[in-house]
Amino acid sequence: MRDGAINFEAKLVRFSEHWSPRVIAEMNDYQFKLAKFQGEFVWHSHAETDEVFIVLSGAMALEFRDGTVPLAAGEMYVVPKGVEHRPVAPQECCVLLVEPRGVVNTGDAGGAYTARNDVWV
Amino acid sequence: MRDGAINFEAKLVRFSEHWSPRVIAEMNDYQFKLAKFQGEFVWHSHAETDEVFIVLSGAMALEFRDGTVPLAAGEMYVVPKGVEHRPVAPQECCVLLVEPRGVVNTGDAGGAYTARNDVWV
């Protein structure tokens, strides 16, 4: 029997922690992760990979050293590899992340916001 | 000046052809493509890669030789590499595809539905 579709809402209700991505699917060596953002994350970068943010509900911004990109539901952004960024969200924002398997949420920065990797929901 | 967010709706209104994916972003060597499905596509497979379907609006189904997976807005599915499938959509359905750069929409099947590759919108 083949698996059914992956429903974002059905997955999102299964966790509440902010800044703690949950894997929902893999495509080749890439992972699709759901995350809930609220507040200000840490400045960080990923030296080896671009990173995709797709906003499913709510609104957020990606702060860069040279400006800020607002993102709302139905919008996406590709953060180029090596570029320092900081996600921020005044209210809770649900996001679909796409990145290679093994990417740590805080990149080069580490610290208290570093989430356990490869946690599925 | 940094690019702004990529808005799916703003991109979708810029083309109307069915089964004709348009690239909207690249992440490493992967592409994000918008497509409008309506009717029945051809049976095909992609020998070298998984393929991700994320439904943005409307509803569709992925037919497999061993069953059918219905997909509605807010749902995604990963078609494993090498697995024969046929997308179908009774009414127009808008989809975000994720796959490596260079993947042809009809895979191994070819034929009239084969779209020009790497067309951006």
Side-chain angles (χ1 to χ4, degrees):
Chain A
M1 187 57 191
R2 191 163 284 288
D3 286 341
I6 298 164
N7 183 289
F8 298 140
E9 266 310 310
K11 295 288 188 185
L12 284 165
V13 297
R14 294 176 56 187
F15 69 100
S16 56
E17 298 89 335
H18 295 143
W19 310 115
S20 183
R22 300 295 203 279
V23 182
I24 58 166
E26 289 187 339
M27 170 198 57
N28 302 329
D29 53 346
Y30 280 69
Q31 290 185 327
F32 289 71
K33 304 175 184 177
L34 291 175
K36 297 182 176 186
F37 294 171
Q38 189 167 352
E40 296 177 348
F41 201 58
V42 290
W43 282 100
H44 68 284
S45 62
H46 305 281
E48 310 80 15
T49 182
D50 301 341
E51 183 177 28
V52 162
F53 293 74
I54 299 173
V55 177
L56 301 177
S57 66
M60 60 169 289
L62 284 166
E63 295 182 356
F64 296 94
R65 294 301 188 186
D66 63 353
T68 295
V69 176
L71 280 169
E75 295 185 331
M76 68 173 282
Y77 198 83
V78 186
V79 176
K81 68 178 173 183
V83 173
E84 269 196 302
H85 59 284
R86 181 172 81 149
V88 300
Q91 274 87 42
E92 187 175 83
C93 179
C94 296
V95 180
L96 179 63
L97 302 168
V98 189
E99 54 198 7
R101 193 184 299 130
V103 168
V104 172
N105 66 333
T106 50
D108 64 324
Y113 278 122
T114 303
R116 198 150 62 88
N117 209 352
D118 207 29
V119 179
W120 287 68
V121 71
Chain B
M1 187 57 191
R2 191 164 284 287
D3 286 341
I6 297 164
N7 183 290
F8 298 139
E9 265 309 311
K11 295 287 188 186
L12 285 165
V13 298
R14 295 175 56 187
F15 70 101
S16 57
E17 299 89 337
H18 295 143
W19 311 114
S20 185
R22 301 294 204 278
V23 182
I24 58 166
E26 290 187 339
M27 170 198 57
N28 302 329
D29 53 346
Y30 280 69
Q31 289 185 328
F32 289 71
K33 304 175 182 177
L34 292 175
K36 297 182 176 186
F37 294 170
Q38 189 168 352
E40 296 176 348
F41 201 59
V42 290
W43 283 100
H44 68 284
S45 62
H46 305 280
E48 310 80 15
T49 182
D50 301 341
E51 184 177 28
V52 163
F53 293 74
I54 300 173
V55 177
L56 300 177
S57 66
M60 61 168 289
L62 285 167
E63 296 182 355
F64 297 94
R65 294 300 187 186
D66 62 354
T68 296
V69 175
L71 279 169
E75 296 185 331
M76 68 173 282
Y77 197 83
V78 185
V79 176
K81 67 178 174 184
V83 172
E84 268 196 302
H85 59 285
R86 180 172 80 149
V88 299
Q91 275 86 44
E92 187 174 85
C93 179
C94 296
V95 180
L96 178 64
L97 303 168
V98 188
E99 54 197 8
R101 193 184 298 130
V103 169
V104 172
N105 65 332
T106 51
D108 63 326
Y113 277 123
T114 303
R116 199 152 60 88
N117 208 352
D118 207 30
V119 179
W120 286 69
V121 69

